[in-house]
Amino acid sequence: MSNSRQYSSVVVDGIDRAPARSMLRAVGFEDEDFEKPQIGIAGSPSDLTPCNMHLGELSEHATAGANEAGGKAINFSTITVSDGISMGTPGMRYSLVSREVIADSIETTVAAEGMDGLVAIGGCDKNMPGCMIALARLNRPSVFVYGGTILPGFVSSDTKEENPLDIVSVFEAVGKHAKGELSDEGLKEVEKCAIPGPGSCSGMYTANSMASVIEAMGMSLPGSSAQLAVGKDKRGDCHNAGATVVELCKKGITSRDIMTRKAFENAVTVGMALGGSTNIVLHLLAIAHAAEVNLTIDDFEEIGNRVPVLCDVKPFGKYNVSHLIRIGGIRPLMKMLLDRGMIHGDCLTVTGRTIAEDLEGVESYPAYPDKQDIVRPWDNPIKPDTHLRILRGNLAPTGAVGKITGKEGLYFKGPAKVYENEEDALKGILRGDIVSGDVVVIRNEGPVGGPGMREMLSPTSAVAGRGLIKEVALITDGRFSGGSHGFDVGHITPEAACGGPIGIVQNGDLIEIDAVKNRMELLISKEDYDARMAAYTPPVAKEKRGVLAKYAKLVTSASEGAVTDKDLF
């Protein structure tokens, strides 16, 4: 097993390493354990959020799997923050920042302690890209495990369980309450019933989207992305992940053997077909950067031109991921894409086999629409090309990302209602400032300007709750939650804090968004545009110390993945 101990042998072998062995004996190592590959089990258990409340238990199953396969598991934890709790507050500025903290902490622990392989277990949104960035940097035998999706909730009066609830239901209930359509008691019942237990948000929001694209990339075991947080399947997934990493150590298969350019193309393709979150653009760019794979927003546009939206899932659709699980999860979709030549079947996965080999024998979804109407057939898509639109124009010279399914139309033109931050926008929407036809502009929320690039779930949900979801566009240099839906464009670059033209928009300016031509224009004269840009002075940095200040100083554009380690030297 010498090759399987490439890193731990440096730490524990030899007379001079007696002090290290002595320390490890105190945490349970026996003589024979020093001859085994050391497998890090990186979890993020926390009472902070339902996404992560069960991850400690899942780590125990991964530990058992690694130990039974001949490895020596070592558990450690990383952080998490809850988007659902901090959303709409200054605390949400730390959400995207936490992706970097998670990546840095896992890299630091594994590299410092000489672990030979790694199981990384994530629940809430930034856990997954944070883990994957670390796996890419470390380039060791590794498997990612998704903590699983939550079950939907139901109000007590919904005895037939016909109207499943999730966290987005609560955000939208706030808007309905502001409009007068929901009483105090009704709002409280939604609040109490929407989140019934452990697991990540139940739609094809960011957590489920990222879990899906990671499996499509080959970095999770088959089926990992489409399992409930509760139940034996997820426990088995964790156990098998521990055993798999030991086997990868023996075979010498590392994360970058799997995370190739073709693997990223597979991930993008599956994420688009699923109707995934805009955040997969941001996070896949960042993971690719860590893996030293050349991936740009132009690749999303090129791939998106040939990938239809096939899944009728929330937030824009009808179904939760728990419904998708019942009909087979994402693997029948991957098989459909493979059979049509849309994904690369020769890509290696953590199983040691190829994507094509892993998908052998996968059955098709039940017949549409007689036995299921969740996943459409190829010739009857929800949208014939991707909902993730890469837009450019004089308002977004270096790109923006729209989440436009066509249900709200493909073209929008209207007068700007400008807000300098998310809080002001939410107040304006709730008090009724926004009317049909408006383009809500929220700026100073980018990676630098926030700092931290907050998600705009509260404003988009308030718009939905007020019944304007098909009548209003919302644009920002911040992000959108995977739970957002509507005519939304985020990731506008350059951002206002970096001198971007979103900073010169004035109330009443006409804005045109074309999701067919992928254009986004501020409809003022060139002379006026040039004069405003010449006179524009970006706001000064908000933070002078601490993690947010460091982040704002280092972070790149959203169009480059908002990474913090590009061209440092």
Side-chain angles (χ1 to χ4, degrees):
M1 265 197 178
S2 58
N3 289 336
S4 67
R5 297 184 56 243
Q6 179 179 352
Y7 300 96
S8 63
S9 61
V10 177
V11 176
V12 301
D13 288 4
I15 296 298
D16 62 321
R17 301 311 303 158
R21 294 193 298 273
S22 181
M23 295 285 282
L24 288 169
R25 289 181 190 278
V27 298
F29 273 62
E30 303 290 345
D31 285 347
E32 60 271 19
D33 293 327
F34 294 112
E35 299 177 3
K36 301 174 181 176
Q38 292 184 19
I39 309 301
I41 311 294
S44 48
S46 174
D47 291 340
L48 188 71
T49 170
C51 309
N52 292 56
M53 61 188 287
H54 60 305
L55 297 193
E57 182 214 340
L58 296 189
S59 294
E60 294 174 6
H61 292 279
T63 296
N67 288 339
E68 291 170 17
K72 178 58 179 175
I74 303 176
N75 276 264
F76 65 96
S77 295
T78 184
I79 68 152
T80 192
V81 301
S82 172
D83 294 358
I85 295 171
S86 62
M87 194 76 69
T89 75
M92 187 62 191
R93 294 186 296 168
Y94 290 88
S95 171
L96 188 57
V97 177
S98 76
R99 184 188 76 179
E100 310 308 305
V101 177
I102 291 165
D104 291 351
S105 66
I106 293 175
E107 177 195 351
T108 299
T109 303
V110 172
E113 301 304 314
M115 296 173 187
D116 301 297
L118 180 64
V119 177
I121 307 174
C124 202
D125 292 6
K126 306 313 170 296
N127 298 174
M128 281 156 278
C131 288
M132 289 295 293
I133 289 169
L135 301 190
R137 289 178 187 168
L138 289 162
N139 194 27
R140 301 183 189 192
S142 308
V143 173
F144 176 77
V145 175
Y146 177 41
T149 191
I150 197 172
L151 287 166
F154 301 91
V155 296
S156 57
S157 58
D158 187 6
T159 56
K160 295 184 179 180
E161 297 188 347
E162 295 177 330
N163 297 294
L165 302 174
D166 58 20
I167 187 61
V168 177
S169 307
V170 189
F171 278 98
E172 293 186 358
V174 173
K176 292 178 181 178
H177 181 270
K179 191 179 179 182
E181 291 184 355
L182 191 66
S183 67
D184 291 351
E185 294 77 15
L187 176 58
K188 188 168 185 179
E189 186 174 21
V190 173
E191 171 192 329
K192 292 173 67 175
C193 298
I195 313 295
S200 299
C201 299
S202 60
M204 192 54 70
Y205 309 148
T206 300
N208 280 310
S209 297
M210 283 305 303
S212 298
V213 300
I214 291 169
E215 181 177 338
M217 194 186 300
M219 285 299 295
S220 292
L221 289 172
S224 181
S225 69
Q227 293 170 337
L228 295 173
V230 297
K232 64 180 182 179
D233 288 348
K234 182 50 64 183
R235 277 81 195 148
D237 182 41
C238 293
H239 188 280
N240 293 339
T244 296
V245 172
V246 176
E247 189 64 24
L248 291 172
C249 287
K250 295 175 183 177
K251 293 178 178 178
I253 297 174
T254 66
S255 55
R256 292 198 197 178
D257 293 330
I258 297 167
M259 296 165 67
T260 63
R261 164 70 191 208
K262 285 184 176 181
F264 278 95
E265 291 177 1
N266 287 349
V268 172
T269 300
V270 171
M272 289 176 168
L274 284 167
S277 166
T278 52
N279 283 312
I280 69 172
V281 179
L282 189 75
H283 296 323
L284 285 175
L285 289 172
I287 298 166
H289 169 75
E292 299 186 68
V293 169
N294 182 27
L295 187 74
T296 71
I297 57 172
D298 294 327
D299 295 312
F300 286 83
E301 182 172 3
E302 190 273 328
I303 294 171
N305 288 333
R306 59 179 186 268
V307 179
V309 180
L310 297 172
C311 297
D312 191 10
V313 288
K314 290 188 174 182
F316 60 82
K318 180 179 180 181
Y319 292 104
N320 291 309
V321 171
S322 58
H323 298 106
L324 182 62
I325 291 170
R326 294 176 193 171
I327 63 168
I330 73 166
R331 300 196 68 70
L333 176 68
M334 290 178 63
K335 184 66 161 58
M336 184 193 309
L337 293 167
L338 177 68
D339 290 345
R340 291 185 171 271
M342 301 296 291
I343 61 175
H344 305 287
D346 58 345
C347 288
L348 185 66
T349 80
V350 293
T351 66
R353 302 185 297 270
T354 65
I355 286 282
E357 290 169 337
D358 280 349
L359 291 173
E360 286 180 3
V362 171
E363 296 182 0
S364 300
Y365 291 117
Y368 176 94
D370 297 336
K371 296 186 178 180
Q372 64 87 18
D373 61 349
I374 302 171
V375 181
R376 300 276 192 95
W378 190 266
D379 58 359
N380 183 24
I382 293 171
K383 190 173 185 289
D385 54 8
T386 184
H387 62 303
L388 298 179
R389 314 304 296 184
I390 306 300
L391 299 104
R392 288 184 171 85
N394 71 357
L395 195 49
T398 54
V401 181
K403 185 178 185 179
I404 303 169
T405 67
K407 289 188 175 184
E408 301 83 16
L410 297 172
Y411 177 87
F412 201 102
K413 183 168 77 171
K417 291 279 181 70
V418 182
Y419 297 95
E420 301 299 331
N421 54 61
E422 180 187 6
E423 286 86 353
D424 288 350
L426 181 60
K427 290 175 184 176
I429 294 165
L430 291 177
R431 68 175 170 248
D433 290 358
I434 306 303
V435 298
S436 178
D438 282 345
V439 178
V440 181
V441 180
I442 306 177
R443 60 193 178 200
N444 304 311
E445 292 288 1
V448 175
M453 204 180 183
R454 290 190 291 182
E455 293 179 342
M456 303 293 116
L457 181 57
S458 293
T460 59
S461 297
V463 167
R466 294 193 70 89
L468 294 169
I469 197 67
K470 295 183 178 182
E471 301 170 25
V472 167
L474 197 153
I475 69 173
T476 180
D477 52 8
R479 297 182 293 137
F480 289 107
S481 164
S484 292
H485 62 110
F487 208 100
D488 304 329
V489 181
H491 306 203
I492 292 176
T493 61
E495 59 174 293
C498 296
I502 190 174
I504 67 170
V505 180
Q506 299 176 3
N507 282 317
D509 286 345
L510 278 181
I511 292 174
E512 181 181 51
I513 307 166
D514 190 327
V516 176
K517 296 180 180 178
N518 294 331
R519 301 296 298 173
M520 186 175 185
E521 303 288 345
L522 176 61
L523 299 180
I524 59 176
S525 69
K526 186 179 186 304
E527 292 76 16
D528 195 5
Y529 181 94
D530 291 343
R532 290 191 200 179
M533 288 297 293
Y536 178 59
T537 301
V540 298
K542 298 175 182 176
E543 304 290 339
K544 304 298 183 183
R545 296 288 185 273
V547 66
L548 292 179
K550 289 189 289 184
Y551 184 84
K553 185 74 172 178
L554 293 171
V555 71
T556 65
S557 160
S559 288
E560 298 177 308
V563 299
T564 55
D565 62 346
K566 182 180 180 183
D567 301 330
L568 293 179
F569 301 101

